[in-house]
Amino acid sequence: MDLQDLWFVAIATLWVGYFFLEGFDFGVGILTRALARDDTERRVLINTIGPVWDGNEVWLLTAGGATFAAFPEWYATLFSGFYLPLLIILVALILRGVAFEYRGKERGKGDTGKWRGGWDLCIFFGSLIPAFLWGVAFANIVRGVKLDERHEYVGSFWDLLNIYSLIGGATTLLLFIYHGAVFTALKTTGDIRERAIRMAAQVGVGAVVAAAVFLIWTQAKHGSVATALTGLVAAVALVASWLLNRTGGRDGWTFGLSGAAIAFAAITLFVSLYPDVMPSTISDANSLTVDKASASHKTLGIMTWVAVVFLPLVLLYQGWTYWVFRKRIGVQSIPA
């Protein structure tokens, strides 16, 4: 395997990890409005992801940095062509992060409820908007966009809102909500857990339907034998997770399978994309490929050694964090 191909796989792995981990963060953030009945229950939901959400976002930062270093032309084309949707995602993530820190601060007498309510809305929309727009963005990358001979995007923002990409956005949104619901069931006790199981059962139906439509469309237009296999694994994992959730009592397996469904769905998109990184709908000659977009061999070689040294340390630290905060919590864990 060439270093260009190795780093394409590495970046795909970072995105898979991001969607697996940040997916349940987004789901929990959305469920703070749909699942929690009062401020105490909302605090329970936020506390399930409180110790890990910022660490999960490191996968996004690393994926962006690795793309910039390993495939600078891909980075330039992607971030200039998708400027507005990526800016919206960035603003939503910033507001969401600030909301986690500020919602518990006392602003003054008599207005604590309004203060928290405003930040809770930021958590909700700061989770919902990226959960939808990431699906829209990656569906467009796989489908192809209007790139000219200089690999510059010459379409408009509205060109990105096609039927295929909107179905992709609905798929990621529903998958992340389902993933967040089964994570909540895994991390909580009592009535919240029971309601999370019921919520997952309801949302899971929509997630299965949306994912089936999106994966079948992807396979028909951009698929291969490999994507048929990865898409099938994603579908089986999602259905198995939904069935286990219905039976109850196997929260760990339910969560693991829902994460596997998200991971293999993302793998299907990257396998469909390769060897392109940004296909052009104007002409195949205008498409950005792994070879055309990559940095020099020396740069990729240095990056590889850095990754070999530091990646295991990052994984060990993040794994340790999840181990420390592994216990379930409930309303009894929240002080008055």
Side-chain angles (χ1 to χ4, degrees), residues 14-318:
L14 290 170
W15 279 107
V16 169
Y18 174 70
F19 288 143
F20 182 103
L21 297 172
E22 190 77 337
F24 68 76
D25 285 351
F26 289 146
V28 172
I30 295 169
L31 291 173
T32 56
R33 305 296 295 181
L35 192 61
R37 292 176 175 173
D38 53 34
D39 184 66
T40 301
E41 291 189 350
R42 196 165 292 117
R43 289 177 65 188
V44 171
L45 292 180
I46 293 173
N47 285 358
T48 62
I49 60 174
V52 297
W53 71 267
D54 48 355
N56 293 343
E57 287 196 346
V58 170
W59 289 75
L60 172 63
L61 299 176
T62 307
T67 304
F68 173 77
F71 300 99
E73 195 160 357
W74 183 13
Y75 182 92
T77 300
L78 177 63
F79 279 78
S80 60
F82 289 34
Y83 179 82
L84 183 55
L86 291 178
L87 177 62
I88 294 173
I89 290 174
L90 179 61
V91 171
L93 292 177
I94 291 173
L95 288 176
R96 174 173 167 265
V98 172
F100 282 133
E101 301 296 332
Y102 273 58
R103 73 173 302 276
K105 308 296 183 182
E106 293 291 342
R107 184 169 180 263
K109 295 181 179 180
D111 62 354
T112 301
K114 293 182 180 179
W115 173 262
R116 288 184 179 176
W119 289 119
D120 287 342
L121 284 176
C122 290
I123 292 174
F124 174 75
F125 286 108
S127 301
L128 185 146
I129 291 172
F132 177 74
L133 288 183
W134 280 130
V136 172
F138 273 88
N140 274 296
I141 293 173
V142 172
R143 174 181 176 268
V145 293
K146 295 178 180 179
L147 297 183
D148 63 14
E149 63 278 1
R150 295 178 297 175
H151 308 306
E152 294 182 0
Y153 179 65
V154 293
S156 68
F157 171 75
W158 303 109
D159 291 331
L160 301 177
L161 300 181
N162 50 79
I163 296 177
Y164 176 70
S165 68
L166 293 176
I167 294 175
T171 300
T172 54
L173 176 61
L174 290 170
L175 282 175
F176 291 165
I177 295 174
Y178 175 76
H179 197 39
V182 297
F183 178 77
T184 301
L186 175 66
K187 288 290 293 179
T188 59
T189 61
D191 191 44
I192 295 180
R193 176 179 175 272
E194 296 302 322
R195 277 185 274 127
I197 291 174
R198 291 195 296 269
M199 179 71 71
Q202 297 168 3
V203 176
V205 175
V208 169
V209 172
V213 172
F214 182 65
L215 289 175
I216 290 172
W217 192 335
T218 302
Q219 179 64 28
K221 293 291 186 179
H222 315 284
S224 62
V225 174
T227 57
L229 292 175
T230 56
L232 180 61
V233 172
V236 171
L238 182 58
V239 173
S241 174
W242 183 79
L243 291 174
L244 280 177
N245 176 76
R246 297 276 296 181
T247 61
R250 295 181 178 271
D251 298 334
W253 280 100
T254 303
F255 173 72
L257 286 169
S258 71
I262 291 172
F264 276 94
I267 290 171
T268 300
L269 295 182
F270 278 97
V271 175
S272 300
L273 185 61
Y274 184 84
D276 291 332
V277 292
M278 287 288 287
S280 172
T281 57
I282 296 177
S283 171
D284 291 340
N286 297 346
S287 297
L288 263 178
T289 65
V290 169
D291 292 333
K292 290 180 182 178
S294 69
S296 67
H297 188 274
K298 183 177 181 180
T299 298
L300 297 178
I302 294 172
M303 290 177 61
T304 302
W305 282 110
V306 171
V308 167
V309 173
F310 289 102
L311 181 59
L313 299 177
V314 173
L315 293 176
L316 285 172
Y317 172 77
Q318 192 161 25

